Amino acid sequence: QVQLVESGGGLVQPGGSLRLSCAASGFTLSDYYMSWVRQAPGKGLEWVSHISSSGGTIYYADSVKGRFTISRDNAKNSLSLQMNSLRAVDTAVYYCARSYNPFDSWGQGTLVTVSS
Amino acid sequence: EIVMTQSPATLSVSPGERATLSCRASQSVSSNLAWYQHKPGQAPRLLIYGASTRATGIPARFSGSGSGTEFTLTISSLQSEDFAVYYCQQYNPWPPFTITFGQGTRLEIK
């Protein structure tokens, strides 16, 4: 069955960097667009970034544009999110999601805490 | 940016009764509207896409309706496992690519 497993979350200081990974299994990653979505504590869901199946088309939410970089390695069945210049407002659980109709499968999420 | 507004923020309903959740878009999203169920500590679960199409494995008691700016999710007879937070989401698959979620409706046991 489809499985998405995020990793790489943790505690980081403001201004720091973190790289999240999402391991995909149970389907052919190269056939699907993928996205990252986050949920800040006590808040709703917020779409963060999207990448096409080949990686040639990428979109970001305005709140992370210029600081976050999405990428994928279809050969390794992996999706990544490089997060730089982190701010307290970036504190959230980050989910990777398969972008089909429109997000038909999600991981369990990884917690990122930005605090000094 | 398209703003999605859900109402009510919290809905208290007894098991076995019907629940009706609303979602309004600040401008037309056609039928590019999805609903998700989210329980604490779990992955969100896709319920409805295309405003009215149930996702794979979703029970028939969940139904979606609407188009343009007004949408509804109806749960016909609430089961204990249905108490959760529900989000609507608009998705524009063409440039400019936009995805926004509503703020959520918490469905609680009355």
Side-chain angles (χ1 to χ4, degrees):
Chain A
Q1 74 280 20
V2 173
Q3 191 168 14
L4 297 168
V5 180
E6 302 92 341
S7 60
L11 175 64
V12 61
Q13 292 188 340
S17 298
L18 211 56
R19 186 177 183 88
L20 305 183
S21 296
C22 172
S25 60
F27 67 102
T28 302
L29 184 65
S30 59
D31 288 343
Y32 292 89
Y33 292 13
M34 297 294 293
S35 285
W36 287 95
V37 178
R38 68 185 180 182
Q39 183 177 35
K43 304 294 186 181
L45 300 171
E46 178 189 17
W47 168 76
V48 172
S49 182
H50 162 100
I51 186 168
S52 64
S53 53
S54 67
T57 300
I58 287 173
Y59 300 103
Y60 297 99
D62 288 344
S63 58
V64 306
K65 201 173 295 182
R67 300 187 299 122
F68 289 12
T69 302
I70 191 172
S71 62
R72 63 191 297 158
D73 186 336
N74 289 335
K76 295 183 177 180
N77 293 316
S78 179
L79 176 74
S80 296
L81 185 69
Q82 176 66 42
M83 304 185 296
N84 298 331
S85 303
L86 282 162
R87 307 164 180 166
V89 294
D90 295 318
T91 295
V93 174
Y94 285 74
Y95 299 95
C96 67
R98 191 171 76 170
S99 299
Y100 184 74
N101 283 338
F103 294 156
D104 70 333
S105 297
W106 299 61
Q108 295 286 344
T110 187
L111 176 63
V112 172
T113 303
V114 184
S115 174
S116 55
Chain B
E1 177 185 314
I2 299 175
V3 177
M4 308 301 292
T5 303
Q6 293 186 239
S7 61
T10 302
L11 183 61
S12 299
V13 183
S14 300
E17 294 188 339
R18 174 188 298 258
T20 302
L21 290 67
S22 298
C23 175
R24 174 177 293 177
S26 60
Q27 64 189 75
S28 177
V29 299
S30 185
S31 294
N32 298 319
L33 192 286
W35 290 93
Y36 298 85
Q37 177 191 70
H38 194 196
K39 298 179 180 179
Q42 296 187 18
R45 178 191 183 196
L46 175 66
L47 301 173
I48 301 286
Y49 65 92
S52 61
T53 302
R54 274 190 303 277
T56 302
I58 301 303
R61 65 180 181 273
F62 291 91
S63 64
S65 64
S67 66
T69 62
E70 299 285 341
F71 301 89
T72 300
L73 174 70
T74 301
I75 310 171
S76 60
S77 178
L78 280 165
Q79 307 297 303
S80 58
E81 62 266 29
D82 299 335
F83 293 96
V85 178
Y86 291 82
Y87 294 95
C88 64
Q89 174 210 40
Q90 68 81 18
Y91 52 99
N92 176 20
W94 304 280
F97 184 91
T98 63
I99 291 178
T100 47
F101 291 89
Q103 81 279 17
T105 290
R106 179 177 303 277
L107 181 57
E108 62 177 31
I109 301 175
K110 186 175 182 179

